[in-house]
Amino acid sequence: MSSTMRETSRLAEASINGIVRRMVNLPRNILGGFSRVMNGGRRNQTLPSSYQYQILQQDISNVPEEWSFLTSFQYQYGSVHPFFYACRFAEAMKIAEDEHKFLFLYLHSPDHPFTPSFCEETLCSELVVQFLDANFICWGAVANRGDGLQMATTLGATSFPFCAVIAPAPAESITVLQQLEGPLSPAELVEILQRTIEEQGSAFGSSKLKREEKIRADRRIREEQDRAYHAALKEDKERERLKNLPLVLPKKANDERLKQNSPSKQQNGMKEPTFTRETPNKDPASKGKDSQPSSQIQIRFPNGEKRERSFSSMDKVKSIYSYINSLGLPGTENYRLIASFPRRVYGMDEMNMTLKDAGLHPRASLFLEYQ
């Protein structure tokens, strides 16, 4: 009991300036999730229709833990909300570490009286959605189940709504940069999160530099790959065109062949036919298509998976939908593509827009949201 009081006193002192920073050791169940992420990678999982029916009946006892929060949240509050990754806590932390971002954690208590107003007015507000999607990796869980219960106990959650800003830490721990309990307005939440980024970001400056250098290196590699691809494509087209040309011999070789095969014509003074080498002509349509700059589109899926593909800047938005449909991934029958900051939905009205006109050139990040 005395250790608990000392911890509460220390947190109160740390919260004087609005910032809470402490190291927290993770429970064994969560650490087991980290082990699975490192050894087995992320799992692709689509919620079966039978689980959807259970959600509608308010029975989530048999619904997979990764989907229980997101599915019930969308059913009650709609599809406009921060991009919560439908995965275990360990997987979300790995994504945050890979992208060098802080993790925004939300523990959902459905029966708490402040929960509906906080979700509807704050968490689903346009200001908060855009800010979180642009700056954080977001993860949520039901506070009395699975990883949500483990994290509520580990972080000492005493009141709801409960939010926290978390950063990866060495060994078997995490760093809690900010802990928020109780209702907040959208402006208050964004102000606190912005201050946390500004005051705590310096501690992770080296990681940011490494991230920027990695981005530049990846961009150089993609540009080199694009140049090599277009050069190889041009060579293949030229080789195919030359292969289909009729064989035309040089004039001297034709003269010798005619002398050998037609002596009578030469003796009668008949004029020899002349042959000229054909000059290859560049296909204007092919040249115009090859010269179009490429657009790098990154697509994030709710289970944490990311795909990146290069399109022509003159391709239509529907080309991205065609690419996603061609992957044959389960659970992508009814979805839409959304840019996070500023938030913009690319639906039916934008299908025939070029990527350049749609603001997706030269590079854009989209996430897939189920409807």
Side-chain angles (χ1 to χ4, degrees):
M1 182 66 180
S2 60
S3 61
T4 303
M5 294 178 63
R6 285 196 299 270
E7 176 66 11
T8 303
S9 176
R10 189 172 65 85
L11 285 180
E13 293 175 359
S15 301
I16 292 175
N17 295 323
I19 297 296
V20 176
R21 181 164 185 172
R22 58 192 172 107
M23 299 291 290
V24 174
N25 293 325
L26 293 171
R28 185 171 300 177
N29 291 346
I30 299 293
L31 293 176
F34 272 109
S35 177
R36 287 193 298 273
V37 171
M38 298 305 295
N39 296 328
R42 303 167 190 161
R43 293 182 298 162
N44 295 330
Q45 188 175 27
T46 302
L47 191 69
S49 57
S50 60
Y51 293 139
Q52 294 277 7
Y53 176 76
Q54 287 177 306
I55 291 294
L56 295 177
Q57 300 300 315
Q58 300 297 308
D59 176 19
I60 63 172
S61 58
N62 294 321
V63 176
E65 181 184 335
E66 295 91 329
W67 288 94
S68 59
F69 163 72
L70 182 59
T71 309
S72 60
F73 188 93
Q74 286 194 168
Y75 171 72
Q76 188 168 1
Y77 300 108
S79 59
V80 178
H81 55 74
F83 186 86
F84 289 107
Y85 280 87
C87 60
R88 302 292 297 273
F89 176 78
E91 296 173 283
M93 283 302 304
K94 185 64 169 61
I95 296 171
E97 185 176 6
D98 291 342
E99 297 195 9
H100 300 279
K101 289 184 176 182
F102 294 145
L103 177 77
F104 176 82
L105 176 144
Y106 169 63
L107 298 180
H108 186 64
S109 179
D111 299 327
H112 196 280
F114 290 148
T115 296
S117 60
F118 178 77
C119 291
E120 293 173 355
E121 300 172 10
T122 298
L123 205 54
C124 294
S125 69
E126 183 176 357
L127 174 64
V128 172
V129 170
Q130 292 187 6
F131 186 82
L132 287 176
D133 286 345
N135 296 284
F136 291 88
I137 297 298
C138 298
W139 182 81
V142 180
N144 61 355
R145 184 184 183 200
D147 281 8
L149 178 59
Q150 292 286 342
M151 294 308 300
T153 303
T154 301
L155 299 177
T158 59
S159 180
F160 295 90
F162 182 92
C163 305
V165 177
I166 298 174
E172 301 174 350
S173 59
I174 56 175
T175 303
V176 181
L177 304 179
Q178 183 64 263
Q179 186 166 310
L180 305 170
E181 299 184 34
L184 290 168
S185 69
E188 289 172 336
L189 179 59
V190 170
E191 180 183 358
I192 294 173
L193 295 177
Q194 181 65 50
R195 188 170 70 249
T196 303
I197 293 175
E198 293 173 353
E199 297 188 15
Q200 300 292 344
S202 59
F204 300 90
S206 59
S207 297
K208 183 178 180 181
L209 292 176
K210 292 180 181 179
R211 175 189 169 211
E212 292 176 349
E213 178 58 32
K214 184 178 184 298
I215 292 174
R216 287 193 292 268
D218 290 344
R219 184 182 295 116
R220 287 194 296 268
I221 291 174
R222 284 192 296 268
E223 290 174 352
E224 293 173 359
Q225 290 175 341
D226 286 342
R227 286 194 294 268
Y229 169 76
H230 289 301
L233 186 62
K234 291 173 68 175
E235 290 178 2
D236 290 342
K237 289 181 179 180
E238 183 66 13
R239 191 181 301 111
E240 187 67 22
R241 192 187 66 80
L242 294 176
K243 180 180 178 181
N244 295 328
L245 286 176
L247 181 61
V248 180
L249 297 175
K251 182 177 184 301
K252 183 176 181 180
N254 277 285
D255 291 345
E256 294 295 332
R257 183 172 62 84
L258 290 173
K259 288 179 181 179
Q260 294 176 4
N261 297 334
S262 305
S264 59
K265 291 183 179 180
Q266 294 292 333
Q267 293 174 359
N268 294 333
M270 297 179 65
K271 185 176 181 180
E272 299 179 5
T274 59
F275 297 87
T276 59
R277 180 181 295 273
E278 294 186 8
T279 302
N281 293 321
K282 181 67 176 177
D283 183 2
S286 175
K287 180 178 179 181
K289 185 175 181 180
D290 290 344
S291 62
Q292 293 298 333
S294 62
S295 300
Q296 297 293 331
I297 306 298
Q298 183 186 84
I299 304 166
R300 294 189 295 168
F301 295 84
N303 61 5
E305 182 180 359
K306 292 190 299 185
R307 298 288 183 105
E308 186 165 320
R309 184 176 174 86
S310 177
F311 296 86
S312 168
S313 62
M314 300 308 294
D315 284 344
K316 304 294 180 64
V317 171
K318 62 184 178 183
S319 300
I320 305 178
Y321 279 85
S322 299
Y323 164 66
I324 295 175
N325 296 337
S326 70
L327 298 177
L329 298 177
T332 57
E333 292 81 8
N334 188 16
Y335 65 92
R336 59 184 182 178
L337 294 175
I338 297 178
S340 58
F341 196 80
R343 183 180 175 88
R344 180 176 179 183
V345 178
Y346 293 93
M348 294 300 299
D349 294 339
E350 292 78 18
M351 283 292 188
N352 291 318
M353 295 179 65
T354 65
L355 301 187
K356 186 174 182 181
D357 293 339
L360 300 176
H361 176 76
R363 184 173 179 81
S365 178
L366 303 173
F367 63 83
L368 186 146
E369 182 178 80
Y370 296 127
Q371 292 182 303

